[in-house]
Amino acid sequence: MISTPLRQTPTALQLSPFRAVRYDSAHAGDLSSVISPPYDDMPITYARAQRGRPHHIARLLYAHDVPAAAGQLDRWLNRGVLRRDPRPALYVYQQRLGHRLLQRGLIGELLLSDESAAAILPHEDVQSHVVGQRAAHMAGLRAQLEPLLLTYHSTDDAATRLAEEITSRRPTASARLGAITHTLWSCTDPVEQSVLNAGLAGCQALIADGHHRHAGCLRLGQERGGSSTWDRSLALLVDSAATPLQLTAIHRVIPGLEPDKAAAAAADVARVRPLTSGPRLPGPDELVVTGNGRAWSISAPDPQALAEALAARPHEWHQLPAAIADHLLLDRAWSVPDLPGAVRHVHDADQATAAVTAPGGGTALLLPAVTEDTVRRLAAKGVLLPRKSTSFGPKPAAGLAMRVLASR
């Protein structure tokens, strides 16, 4: 049996206990050496290196041959490298940087039925072919190796206090990735599980990360006629009232675009001003173009040009940095094709700037972050943001607590 659903109102968030599959250090070795950053945050060179390790989760997470990876997963289960916890649990999950608490949340199985759909808010558009890839990976493995990340705002102090009290107990698992310590506690007491779930009552959860995997689960459920296998998903829910997630922008690097030409072309559709002190983070109403040690501020888009660039898009997109970046600048002003390799998406502004410092290195377009209130307000209205608009964090590790279907 995989899960024990809790009784809640049909439209409430439902996070069910489940028997997580976890690494057994007696067979797999140090947990820190086998788990990884989430799929989208692992550089491909790092992923390739980790796949050389005997039991590293990257061997499953980045599998090109999914049937072979499914066989590998079965062998790890048979050999005891991975073990299923004996009792259904909700898991309290915490990340710390030294003594500073970064994030604390609950891991369980999140119900994705039509009745609970109103309580789960996607905020970013998805690409159909990527949804298909994620769905095929999950269905082929019959497993989810990393949880969706969602944020909600609770007013239930009892749930918050209990989650904090649980972290004073002996942890179920602990590992380090870089400077961050990831710790997991198992809560198997049905009474405590009910208290933790009470903190979700009446809340709407915003999907912070994992839109394609969420859509993949929905697609699998529809293809299988509402099968109970895929009417739920492994998920981490973080209470923003207790430990709010950080929200940053995702920047664009265009290798084939010269910065001088980018600034000149941008002047046709917006106000462009040189930054004599060099590149910096953009303010709330501007973008910054940089390359070869030079930088320009881009602001006040021409209303007519913006309207034409976003003619088929929601009116709310006219104020969104990613929409202005992708449709007014990349598409209209710079004619950058929407092809693999034409644009790189970089989460760190310093890395984006460093990538284009040398002559011929291309151009970086730095974006300001939108606020969580803006994201949540638009999501509640059904307005999805452009792809690669937001980066919530810190994200959960992959391989710490996995959902592996029992009927493999």
Side-chain angles (χ1 to χ4, degrees):
M1 183 175 180
I2 289 294
S3 62
T4 306
L6 298 178
R7 293 182 179 179
Q8 292 181 293
T9 56
T11 57
L13 289 173
Q14 296 187 36
L15 194 64
S16 300
F18 76 114
R19 294 172 59 199
V21 168
R22 300 185 297 103
Y23 278 104
D24 185 339
S25 58
H27 295 84
D30 180 17
L31 185 58
S32 303
S33 68
V34 291
I35 66 171
S36 81
Y39 180 90
D40 290 333
D41 282 14
M42 197 190 306
I44 191 63
T45 52
Y46 176 83
R48 287 172 181 158
Q50 302 314 306
R51 286 177 62 188
R53 296 187 176 189
H55 303 126
H56 200 279
I57 194 63
R59 296 173 69 92
L60 306 181
L61 198 61
Y62 286 86
H64 300 297
D65 185 340
V66 176
Q72 180 74 80
L73 174 57
D74 285 339
R75 288 191 292 274
W76 289 357
L77 287 164
N78 292 334
R79 295 172 185 169
V81 173
L82 297 174
R83 293 187 183 276
R84 191 181 301 276
D85 282 344
R87 298 173 61 189
L90 290 178
Y91 298 85
V92 176
Y93 172 59
Q94 182 172 279
Q95 294 186 39
R96 282 188 175 274
L97 179 60
H99 296 291
R100 182 162 67 93
L101 176 63
L102 299 178
Q103 174 240 85
R104 179 186 296 143
L106 300 174
I107 293 178
E109 288 187 339
L110 180 67
L111 187 66
L112 302 179
S113 66
D114 292 340
E115 291 79 10
S116 62
I120 301 171
L121 298 176
H123 79 267
E124 231 176 56
D125 202 1
V126 294
Q127 295 176 289
S128 180
H129 73 282
V130 180
V131 173
Q133 291 169 359
R134 299 292 189 269
H137 186 266
M138 291 186 292
L141 289 182
R142 291 186 60 77
Q144 292 174 291
L145 309 178
E146 54 180 332
L148 307 180
L149 175 62
L150 300 97
T151 177
Y152 67 102
H153 190 96
S154 178
T155 58
D156 190 320
D157 292 339
T160 302
R161 289 195 302 270
L162 176 58
E164 185 173 3
E165 191 274 326
I166 288 173
T167 64
S168 67
R169 304 172 188 174
R170 182 177 179 179
T172 302
S174 184
R176 285 177 63 89
L177 285 176
I180 296 179
T181 301
H182 302 252
T183 311
L184 197 71
W185 292 264
S186 172
C187 176
T188 59
D189 186 309
V191 174
E192 291 187 339
Q193 291 171 358
S194 296
V195 173
L196 293 174
N197 261 278
L200 305 176
C203 297
Q204 283 187 315
L206 180 73
I207 299 178
D209 185 64
H211 284 83
H212 286 97
R213 284 175 283 129
H214 171 256
C217 281
L218 296 179
R219 179 179 293 187
L220 290 171
Q222 293 167 355
E223 291 174 351
R224 286 155 176 76
S227 165
S228 59
T229 299
W230 298 108
D231 69 350
R232 58 195 67 232
S233 173
L234 182 65
L236 166 65
L237 273 69
V238 175
D239 181 4
S240 61
T243 55
L245 296 174
Q246 300 173 12
L247 177 56
T248 58
I250 302 177
H251 311 286
R252 278 68 169 150
V253 172
I254 310 97
L257 181 65
E258 296 180 19
D260 289 350
K261 292 181 178 179
D268 292 335
V269 296
R271 183 170 64 210
V272 176
R273 178 173 56 89
L275 297 176
T276 56
S277 57
R280 58 166 172 76
L281 287 174
D285 297 317
E286 68 172 350
L287 293 87
V288 168
V289 167
T290 183
N292 195 18
R294 302 183 62 192
W296 298 261
S297 166
I298 299 179
S299 60
D302 177 75
Q304 182 176 348
L306 185 60
E308 292 173 357
L310 299 177
R313 309 293 179 174
H315 177 73
E316 290 84 356
W317 276 30
H318 289 228
Q319 306 299 321
L320 297 177
I324 296 170
D326 291 347
H327 297 279
L328 181 65
L329 295 178
L330 286 168
D331 185 21
R332 184 182 177 86
W334 299 338
S335 300
V336 177
D338 187 12
L339 297 173
V343 179
R344 289 170 40 219
H345 295 92
V346 180
H347 291 250
D348 184 271
D350 290 337
Q351 291 180 5
T353 301
V356 298
T357 298
T363 296
L365 180 60
L366 308 182
L367 281 62
V370 295
T371 66
E372 183 174 334
D373 287 344
T374 297
V375 175
R376 188 175 286 275
R377 174 175 55 81
L378 294 179
K381 294 170 61 177
V383 176
L384 299 179
L385 275 64
R387 289 181 284 113
K388 301 297 182 182
S389 289
T390 60
S391 178
F392 282 90
K395 298 175 184 177
L400 193 63
M402 293 170 277
R403 180 184 184 231
V404 179
L405 302 181
S407 56
R408 288 187 50 78

PDB file of all heavy atoms in Angstrom, residues 56 63 76 85 108 115 123 129 137 147 156 162 180 188 214 239 244 250 295 309 341 380 403:
ATOM      1  N   HIS A  56      24.663   6.639  -7.744  1.00  0.00           N
ATOM      2  CA  HIS A  56      24.230   8.039  -7.732  1.00  0.00           C
ATOM      3  C   HIS A  56      22.876   8.194  -8.418  1.00  0.00           C
ATOM      4  O   HIS A  56      22.592   7.560  -9.446  1.00  0.00           O
ATOM      5  CB  HIS A  56      25.269   8.917  -8.432  1.00  0.00           C
ATOM      6  CG  HIS A  56      25.160  10.361  -8.067  1.00  0.00           C
ATOM      7  ND1 HIS A  56      24.239  11.206  -8.642  1.00  0.00           N
ATOM      8  CD2 HIS A  56      25.839  11.116  -7.160  1.00  0.00           C
ATOM      9  CE1 HIS A  56      24.353  12.414  -8.123  1.00  0.00           C
ATOM     10  NE2 HIS A  56      25.322  12.384  -7.233  1.00  0.00           N
ATOM     11  N   ALA A  63      18.679   9.501 -17.198  1.00  0.00           N
ATOM     12  CA  ALA A  63      18.733   8.299 -18.019  1.00  0.00           C
ATOM     13  C   ALA A  63      18.232   8.577 -19.431  1.00  0.00           C
ATOM     14  O   ALA A  63      17.144   9.118 -19.612  1.00  0.00           O
ATOM     15  CB  ALA A  63      17.887   7.203 -17.382  1.00  0.00           C
ATOM     16  N   TRP A  76      18.568  -1.978  -7.548  1.00  0.00           N
ATOM     17  CA  TRP A  76      18.903  -1.288  -6.296  1.00  0.00           C
ATOM     18  C   TRP A  76      17.915  -1.653  -5.189  1.00  0.00           C
ATOM     19  O   TRP A  76      18.303  -1.800  -4.032  1.00  0.00           O
ATOM     20  CB  TRP A  76      18.908   0.224  -6.525  1.00  0.00           C
ATOM     21  CG  TRP A  76      20.068   0.714  -7.345  1.00  0.00           C
ATOM     22  CD1 TRP A  76      21.109  -0.028  -7.826  1.00  0.00           C
ATOM     23  CD2 TRP A  76      20.306   2.051  -7.776  1.00  0.00           C
ATOM     24  NE1 TRP A  76      21.982   0.759  -8.536  1.00  0.00           N
ATOM     25  CE2 TRP A  76      21.510   2.050  -8.521  1.00  0.00           C
ATOM     26  CE3 TRP A  76      19.620   3.245  -7.622  1.00  0.00           C
ATOM     27  CZ2 TRP A  76      22.040   3.203  -9.101  1.00  0.00           C
ATOM     28  CZ3 TRP A  76      20.141   4.407  -8.193  1.00  0.00           C
ATOM     29  CH2 TRP A  76      21.337   4.386  -8.925  1.00  0.00           C
ATOM     30  N   ASP A  85      10.354   2.640   3.318  1.00  0.00           N
ATOM     31  CA  ASP A  85      10.073   2.799   4.742  1.00  0.00           C
ATOM     32  C   ASP A  85       8.919   1.892   5.152  1.00  0.00           C
ATOM     33  O   ASP A  85       7.964   1.689   4.376  1.00  0.00           O
ATOM     34  CB  ASP A  85       9.744   4.252   5.065  1.00  0.00           C
ATOM     35  CG  ASP A  85      10.992   5.118   5.145  1.00  0.00           C
ATOM     36  OD1 ASP A  85      12.100   4.560   5.251  1.00  0.00           O
ATOM     37  OD2 ASP A  85      10.863   6.360   5.116  1.00  0.00           O
ATOM     38  N   GLY A 108       4.997  14.712   1.036  1.00  0.00           N
ATOM     39  CA  GLY A 108       3.986  13.671   1.016  1.00  0.00           C
ATOM     40  C   GLY A 108       3.473  13.512  -0.399  1.00  0.00           C
ATOM     41  O   GLY A 108       4.063  14.008  -1.357  1.00  0.00           O
ATOM     42  N   GLU A 115     -11.151  17.727  -8.152  1.00  0.00           N
ATOM     43  CA  GLU A 115     -11.727  18.388  -6.984  1.00  0.00           C
ATOM     44  C   GLU A 115     -10.721  19.265  -6.248  1.00  0.00           C
ATOM     45  O   GLU A 115     -11.085  20.253  -5.619  1.00  0.00           O
ATOM     46  CB  GLU A 115     -12.294  17.333  -6.013  1.00  0.00           C
ATOM     47  CG  GLU A 115     -13.519  16.592  -6.520  1.00  0.00           C
ATOM     48  CD  GLU A 115     -13.154  15.497  -7.513  1.00  0.00           C
ATOM     49  OE1 GLU A 115     -11.944  15.196  -7.647  1.00  0.00           O
ATOM     50  OE2 GLU A 115     -14.070  14.973  -8.169  1.00  0.00           O
ATOM     51  N   HIS A 123       1.894  28.681 -12.215  1.00  0.00           N
ATOM     52  CA  HIS A 123       2.111  30.098 -12.550  1.00  0.00           C
ATOM     53  C   HIS A 123       2.940  30.277 -13.819  1.00  0.00           C
ATOM     54  O   HIS A 123       3.138  31.408 -14.262  1.00  0.00           O
ATOM     55  CB  HIS A 123       2.775  30.843 -11.380  1.00  0.00           C
ATOM     56  CG  HIS A 123       4.264  30.620 -11.268  1.00  0.00           C
ATOM     57  ND1 HIS A 123       4.813  29.641 -10.480  1.00  0.00           N
ATOM     58  CD2 HIS A 123       5.311  31.267 -11.835  1.00  0.00           C
ATOM     59  CE1 HIS A 123       6.126  29.677 -10.577  1.00  0.00           C
ATOM     60  NE2 HIS A 123       6.462  30.653 -11.388  1.00  0.00           N
ATOM     61  N   HIS A 129       6.270  19.231 -25.524  1.00  0.00           N
ATOM     62  CA  HIS A 129       7.239  18.149 -25.721  1.00  0.00           C
ATOM     63  C   HIS A 129       8.017  17.853 -24.447  1.00  0.00           C
ATOM     64  O   HIS A 129       8.385  16.697 -24.188  1.00  0.00           O
ATOM     65  CB  HIS A 129       8.193  18.474 -26.874  1.00  0.00           C
ATOM     66  CG  HIS A 129       9.219  19.523 -26.564  1.00  0.00           C
ATOM     67  ND1 HIS A 129       8.942  20.869 -26.558  1.00  0.00           N
ATOM     68  CD2 HIS A 129      10.538  19.411 -26.228  1.00  0.00           C
ATOM     69  CE1 HIS A 129      10.041  21.544 -26.255  1.00  0.00           C
ATOM     70  NE2 HIS A 129      11.017  20.693 -26.045  1.00  0.00           N
ATOM     71  N   HIS A 137       9.358   9.650 -18.618  1.00  0.00           N
ATOM     72  CA  HIS A 137      10.378   9.274 -17.632  1.00  0.00           C
ATOM     73  C   HIS A 137       9.724   8.721 -16.375  1.00  0.00           C
ATOM     74  O   HIS A 137      10.104   7.661 -15.866  1.00  0.00           O
ATOM     75  CB  HIS A 137      11.245  10.494 -17.310  1.00  0.00           C
ATOM     76  CG  HIS A 137      12.407  10.190 -16.414  1.00  0.00           C
ATOM     77  ND1 HIS A 137      12.358  10.335 -15.053  1.00  0.00           N
ATOM     78  CD2 HIS A 137      13.668   9.744 -16.692  1.00  0.00           C
ATOM     79  CE1 HIS A 137      13.514  10.003 -14.520  1.00  0.00           C
ATOM     80  NE2 HIS A 137      14.331   9.641 -15.490  1.00  0.00           N
ATOM     81  N   PRO A 147      10.589  15.823  -5.597  1.00  0.00           N
ATOM     82  CA  PRO A 147       9.232  16.330  -5.393  1.00  0.00           C
ATOM     83  C   PRO A 147       8.977  17.633  -6.135  1.00  0.00           C
ATOM     84  O   PRO A 147       9.896  18.405  -6.416  1.00  0.00           O
ATOM     85  CB  PRO A 147       9.177  16.556  -3.876  1.00  0.00           C
ATOM     86  CG  PRO A 147      10.589  16.887  -3.507  1.00  0.00           C
ATOM     87  CD  PRO A 147      11.458  16.071  -4.436  1.00  0.00           C
ATOM     88  N   ASP A 156      -2.132  28.534  10.689  1.00  0.00           N
ATOM     89  CA  ASP A 156      -2.282  27.529  11.745  1.00  0.00           C
ATOM     90  C   ASP A 156      -0.981  27.426  12.540  1.00  0.00           C
ATOM     91  O   ASP A 156      -0.020  26.799  12.106  1.00  0.00           O
ATOM     92  CB  ASP A 156      -2.653  26.182  11.126  1.00  0.00           C
ATOM     93  CG  ASP A 156      -3.064  25.158  12.176  1.00  0.00           C
ATOM     94  OD1 ASP A 156      -2.437  25.115  13.241  1.00  0.00           O
ATOM     95  OD2 ASP A 156      -4.024  24.411  11.926  1.00  0.00           O
ATOM     96  N   LEU A 162       4.324  22.182  15.629  1.00  0.00           N
ATOM     97  CA  LEU A 162       4.596  20.749  15.594  1.00  0.00           C
ATOM     98  C   LEU A 162       5.741  20.446  14.628  1.00  0.00           C
ATOM     99  O   LEU A 162       6.633  19.644  14.944  1.00  0.00           O
ATOM    100  CB  LEU A 162       3.347  19.983  15.186  1.00  0.00           C
ATOM    101  CG  LEU A 162       3.534  18.467  15.018  1.00  0.00           C
ATOM    102  CD1 LEU A 162       4.045  17.840  16.310  1.00  0.00           C
ATOM    103  CD2 LEU A 162       2.234  17.796  14.579  1.00  0.00           C
ATOM    104  N   ILE A 180      25.032  23.395   1.905  1.00  0.00           N
ATOM    105  CA  ILE A 180      23.690  23.279   2.478  1.00  0.00           C
ATOM    106  C   ILE A 180      23.481  21.882   3.050  1.00  0.00           C
ATOM    107  O   ILE A 180      23.797  20.873   2.411  1.00  0.00           O
ATOM    108  CB  ILE A 180      22.609  23.589   1.423  1.00  0.00           C
ATOM    109  CG1 ILE A 180      22.740  25.044   0.968  1.00  0.00           C
ATOM    110  CG2 ILE A 180      21.212  23.336   1.974  1.00  0.00           C
ATOM    111  CD1 ILE A 180      21.743  25.447  -0.096  1.00  0.00           C
ATOM    112  N   THR A 188       5.111   9.399  11.574  1.00  0.00           N
ATOM    113  CA  THR A 188       4.209   8.281  11.306  1.00  0.00           C
ATOM    114  C   THR A 188       2.985   8.275  12.208  1.00  0.00           C
ATOM    115  O   THR A 188       2.096   7.445  12.019  1.00  0.00           O
ATOM    116  CB  THR A 188       4.960   6.943  11.473  1.00  0.00           C
ATOM    117  OG1 THR A 188       5.478   6.863  12.806  1.00  0.00           O
ATOM    118  CG2 THR A 188       6.110   6.833  10.483  1.00  0.00           C
ATOM    119  N   HIS A 214       4.431  18.357 -12.942  1.00  0.00           N
ATOM    120  CA  HIS A 214       3.018  18.443 -12.552  1.00  0.00           C
ATOM    121  C   HIS A 214       2.124  18.178 -13.751  1.00  0.00           C
ATOM    122  O   HIS A 214       1.186  17.358 -13.694  1.00  0.00           O
ATOM    123  CB  HIS A 214       2.741  19.831 -11.954  1.00  0.00           C
ATOM    124  CG  HIS A 214       1.296  20.111 -11.712  1.00  0.00           C
ATOM    125  ND1 HIS A 214       0.557  20.936 -12.538  1.00  0.00           N
ATOM    126  CD2 HIS A 214       0.443  19.702 -10.749  1.00  0.00           C
ATOM    127  CE1 HIS A 214      -0.685  21.013 -12.091  1.00  0.00           C
ATOM    128  NE2 HIS A 214      -0.781  20.270 -11.010  1.00  0.00           N
ATOM    129  N   ASP A 239       5.624  26.379   3.887  1.00  0.00           N
ATOM    130  CA  ASP A 239       4.771  27.440   4.424  1.00  0.00           C
ATOM    131  C   ASP A 239       5.525  28.767   4.368  1.00  0.00           C
ATOM    132  O   ASP A 239       6.496  28.974   5.089  1.00  0.00           O
ATOM    133  CB  ASP A 239       4.379  27.103   5.867  1.00  0.00           C
ATOM    134  CG  ASP A 239       3.466  28.141   6.501  1.00  0.00           C
ATOM    135  OD1 ASP A 239       3.066  29.095   5.795  1.00  0.00           O
ATOM    136  OD2 ASP A 239       3.155  28.003   7.690  1.00  0.00           O
ATOM    137  N   PRO A 244       9.671  31.616   4.168  1.00  0.00           N
ATOM    138  CA  PRO A 244       9.385  31.985   2.778  1.00  0.00           C
ATOM    139  C   PRO A 244      10.518  31.593   1.841  1.00  0.00           C
ATOM    140  O   PRO A 244      11.697  31.681   2.197  1.00  0.00           O
ATOM    141  CB  PRO A 244       9.211  33.505   2.838  1.00  0.00           C
ATOM    142  CG  PRO A 244       9.923  33.932   4.089  1.00  0.00           C
ATOM    143  CD  PRO A 244       9.773  32.795   5.042  1.00  0.00           C
ATOM    144  N   ILE A 250      15.489  34.822 -13.768  1.00  0.00           N
ATOM    145  CA  ILE A 250      16.310  33.969 -14.626  1.00  0.00           C
ATOM    146  C   ILE A 250      16.779  34.830 -15.796  1.00  0.00           C
ATOM    147  O   ILE A 250      15.967  35.459 -16.479  1.00  0.00           O
ATOM    148  CB  ILE A 250      15.522  32.751 -15.137  1.00  0.00           C
ATOM    149  CG1 ILE A 250      15.000  31.928 -13.953  1.00  0.00           C
ATOM    150  CG2 ILE A 250      16.405  31.882 -16.034  1.00  0.00           C
ATOM    151  CD1 ILE A 250      14.140  30.743 -14.360  1.00  0.00           C
ATOM    152  N   ALA A 295      27.778  48.045 -20.455  1.00  0.00           N
ATOM    153  CA  ALA A 295      26.406  47.751 -20.029  1.00  0.00           C
ATOM    154  C   ALA A 295      25.491  48.912 -20.376  1.00  0.00           C
ATOM    155  O   ALA A 295      25.920  50.072 -20.458  1.00  0.00           O
ATOM    156  CB  ALA A 295      26.371  47.478 -18.530  1.00  0.00           C
ATOM    157  N   ALA A 309       4.260  43.278 -30.157  1.00  0.00           N
ATOM    158  CA  ALA A 309       5.035  42.093 -29.778  1.00  0.00           C
ATOM    159  C   ALA A 309       4.221  41.127 -28.927  1.00  0.00           C
ATOM    160  O   ALA A 309       4.434  39.907 -28.976  1.00  0.00           O
ATOM    161  CB  ALA A 309       6.304  42.512 -29.033  1.00  0.00           C
ATOM    162  N   GLY A 341      20.089  26.272 -28.030  1.00  0.00           N
ATOM    163  CA  GLY A 341      21.412  26.868 -28.063  1.00  0.00           C
ATOM    164  C   GLY A 341      21.446  28.339 -28.405  1.00  0.00           C
ATOM    165  O   GLY A 341      22.466  29.008 -28.188  1.00  0.00           O
ATOM    166  N   ALA A 380      -3.793  33.284  -9.601  1.00  0.00           N
ATOM    167  CA  ALA A 380      -5.175  33.166  -9.137  1.00  0.00           C
ATOM    168  C   ALA A 380      -6.162  33.594 -10.216  1.00  0.00           C
ATOM    169  O   ALA A 380      -7.309  33.124 -10.240  1.00  0.00           O
ATOM    170  CB  ALA A 380      -5.377  33.989  -7.871  1.00  0.00           C
ATOM    171  N   ARG A 403       9.193   8.596  -4.426  1.00  0.00           N
ATOM    172  CA  ARG A 403       7.923   7.868  -4.577  1.00  0.00           C
ATOM    173  C   ARG A 403       8.138   6.805  -5.646  1.00  0.00           C
ATOM    174  O   ARG A 403       8.299   7.120  -6.824  1.00  0.00           O
ATOM    175  CB  ARG A 403       6.807   8.824  -4.979  1.00  0.00           C
ATOM    176  CG  ARG A 403       5.448   8.137  -5.146  1.00  0.00           C
ATOM    177  CD  ARG A 403       4.391   9.099  -5.651  1.00  0.00           C
ATOM    178  NE  ARG A 403       3.096   8.464  -5.706  1.00  0.00           N
ATOM    179  CZ  ARG A 403       2.284   8.474  -6.778  1.00  0.00           C
ATOM    180  NH1 ARG A 403       2.656   9.114  -7.887  1.00  0.00           N
ATOM    181  NH2 ARG A 403       1.125   7.859  -6.731  1.00  0.00           N
TER     182      ARG A 403
END
